[in-house]
Amino acid sequence: MDNCVFCKIRKGEIPGTILYKDEDFMIIKNIAPSSKVHLLAIPTEHAPFIADISEKSAELLGKMMSKISHMQEELGLTNGYRLIINQGEDAGQTVSHIHIHIMGGEKLAEF
Ligand code: AMP
Ligand code: ZN
């Protein structure tokens, strides 16, 4: 998508710290972290909402979570982590390209 910050990072059109990248998704550092480690796992397919994605990408969300778990130590998440997907206005979604927030590196607030 032309005007999407995450698509632009993937294509190298704007800078981003990419920690992992394959054809299906990438993991980048959040530019404005809300926790000591705050990463974003972003599928290659541009879609704003889970409701919009293809069956292949729906399966990919599960694969992404599995990959994150295998990279846990490498990503600085030795003691655990939290995964969040914001969807829509009430959740405070600001970038209209599905992404999983990966948060950790410290004790996170309970909710
Ligand atoms: P959300 O509010 O769930 O849509 O999350 C969007 C996230 O993307 C926010 O936490 C932003 O800090 C992050 N973000 C926005 N622009 C960039 C960027 N250029 N590089 C890395 N993270 C970004
Ligand atoms: Zn996009």
Side-chain angles (χ1 to χ4, degrees):
M1 197 72 161
D2 288 351
N3 219 13
C4 170
V5 67
F6 293 160
C7 286
K8 283 183 176 172
I9 290 172
R10 181 163 185 102
K11 290 185 216 151
E13 292 171 4
I14 61 170
T17 306
I18 300 175
L19 303 178
Y20 176 81
K21 186 178 181 184
D22 65 21
E23 62 181 18
D24 295 323
F25 77 103
M26 65 179 178
I27 299 174
I28 67 168
K29 281 193 180 175
N30 194 317
I31 202 168
S34 297
S35 53
K36 195 167 173 195
V37 177
H38 189 171
L39 313 174
L40 301 167
I42 306 166
T44 304
E45 181 183 341
H46 177 96
F49 302 115
I50 295 170
D52 299 325
I53 62 180
S54 63
E55 200 171 315
K56 183 170 170 275
S57 283
E59 286 171 13
L60 175 61
L61 290 177
K63 285 186 191 159
M64 286 164 65
M65 285 192 238
S66 173
K67 185 70 181 175
I68 291 163
S69 76
H70 287 111
M71 291 183 72
Q72 187 174 342
E73 300 224 344
E74 195 180 321
L75 296 174
L77 304 163
T78 313
N79 287 323
Y81 53 89
R82 179 174 292 160
L83 303 180
I84 296 173
I85 303 178
N86 290 323
Q87 292 281 271
E89 205 177 323
D90 281 359
Q93 184 179 3
T94 57
V95 177
S96 296
H97 180 142
I98 294 165
H99 49 282
I100 304 175
H101 291 260
I102 308 165
M103 303 176 74
E106 63 183 338
K107 185 86 176 160
L108 300 171
E110 290 178 21
F111 67 95

